[in-house]
């Protein structure tokens, strides 16, 4: 899934959902590999190490690391107990709404002053987005797809059941919810990144005369995030003979 701003139309709105399951398997490598390995095209992730590992399994060496909102959230507030996308968006809901509204208002004002066809199309996409996409918080997969099986007595069981992966991809019952669930991750990540960048820019630091934590993140945490995933992919050697003696 991909989201590059509420004014960008992929042909059916600003959300891009790519299904590489079953007959579509391999489409990521054949169509998007060049983009994903382009260092000039910056991409933001949540838990970059996981996504980079998954892409590497498909022969894609991710480049253009533009940020990890999990790292940004840790830098902004290291006292949180959880940094999953669901919990961070819940904790920052009001801030994300403010940032989202500000971004849309600024883009509407800018595009309204333009008369060219492309700007008018982007303005129309933006207005449709503003009218139809209002959700802020991420809902977990259990809440989206989970269900309780009916017992022989007709009563609701107590064990939460999940449909298998094939059903979620292929069944008419689940596909709309699957697309919505998947595409929303990228959408909320876009606004979360902007929200955290604003928060970090407001936290002052005396270190190296950088001024604020957003500058510190860009200077040190961002390249370290890339280095960390390099280390994870290479691993390190251990003395197995010594371990046997332990």
């Amino acid at each position: 899934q991909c989201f590059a701003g509420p004014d960008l139309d992929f042909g059916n709105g600003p959300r891009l959902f790519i299904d590489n399951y079953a007959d579509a398997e391999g489409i990521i490598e054949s169509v998007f590999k060049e983009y994903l390995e382009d260092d000039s095209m910056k991409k933001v992730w949540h838990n970059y190490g996981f996504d980079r590992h998954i892409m590497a399994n498909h022969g894609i060496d991710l480049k253009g690391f533009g940020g990890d909102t999990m790292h940004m959230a840790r830098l902004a507030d290291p006292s949180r107990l959880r940094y999953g996308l669901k919990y961070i968006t819940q904790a920052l809901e009001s801030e994300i709404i403010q940032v989202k509204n500000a971004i849309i208002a600024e883009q509407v004002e800018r595009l309204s002053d333009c008369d060219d066809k492309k700007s008018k199309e982007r303005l129309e996409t933006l207005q449709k987005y503003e009218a139809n996409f209002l959700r802020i918080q991420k809902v977990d997969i259990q809440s989206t797809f989970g269900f309780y099986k009916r017992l022989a007595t007709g009563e609701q069981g107590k064990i939460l059941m999940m449909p298998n992966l094939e059903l979620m991809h292929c069944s008419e019952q689940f596909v709309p919810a699957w697309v919505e669930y998947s595409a929303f991750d990228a959408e909320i990540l876009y606004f979360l990144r902007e929200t955290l960048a604003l928060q970090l820019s407001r936290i002052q630091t005396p270190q190296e005369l950088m001024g604020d934590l957003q500058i510190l993140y860009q200077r040190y945490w961002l390249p370290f995030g890339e280095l960390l995933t390099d280390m994870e992919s290479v691993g390190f050697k251990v003395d197995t003979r010594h371990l046997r003696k332990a």
Side-chain angles (χ1 to χ4, degrees), residues 92-104:
L92 299 177
E93 180 179 7
S94 60
E95 291 89 342
I96 294 173
I97 291 173
Q98 291 178 10
V99 169
K100 180 179 179 179
N101 290 340
I103 289 174
I104 291 175

Side-chain angles (χ1 to χ4, degrees), residues 109-204:
E109 182 179 1
R110 175 170 49 82
L111 293 171
S112 296
D113 293 334
C114 301
D115 294 326
D116 60 285
K117 181 180 179 182
K118 186 175 181 180
S119 295
K120 290 181 179 179
E121 290 175 348
R122 291 178 65 184
L123 179 60
E124 183 180 357
T125 298
L126 186 60
Q127 291 170 334
K128 288 180 179 179
Y129 172 83
E130 188 177 15
N132 293 288
F133 297 96
L134 305 175
R135 187 156 66 95
I136 293 296
Q137 287 189 14
K138 174 181 171 61
V139 179
D140 61 39
I141 194 167
Q142 289 81 9
S143 300
T144 304
F145 299 101
F147 62 93
Y148 292 95
K149 190 175 181 180
R150 289 287 174 183
L151 303 177
T153 60
E155 297 179 343
Q156 178 178 286
K158 296 182 179 181
I159 300 176
L160 183 66
M161 310 288 289
M162 289 288 294
N164 65 44
L165 191 61
E166 184 175 358
L167 274 178
M168 287 193 285
H169 272 84
C170 305
S171 170
E172 293 183 1
Q173 177 185 353
F174 295 113
V175 165
W178 176 254
V179 173
E180 167 67 20
Y181 172 82
S182 301
F184 180 74
D185 272 13
E187 178 189 350
I188 194 60
L189 185 61
Y190 176 90
F191 294 109
L192 176 60
R193 188 269 169 197
E194 298 302 308
T195 301
L196 290 170
L198 181 61
Q199 282 193 349
L200 291 173
S201 70
R202 291 174 174 172
I203 303 175
Q204 301 302 300

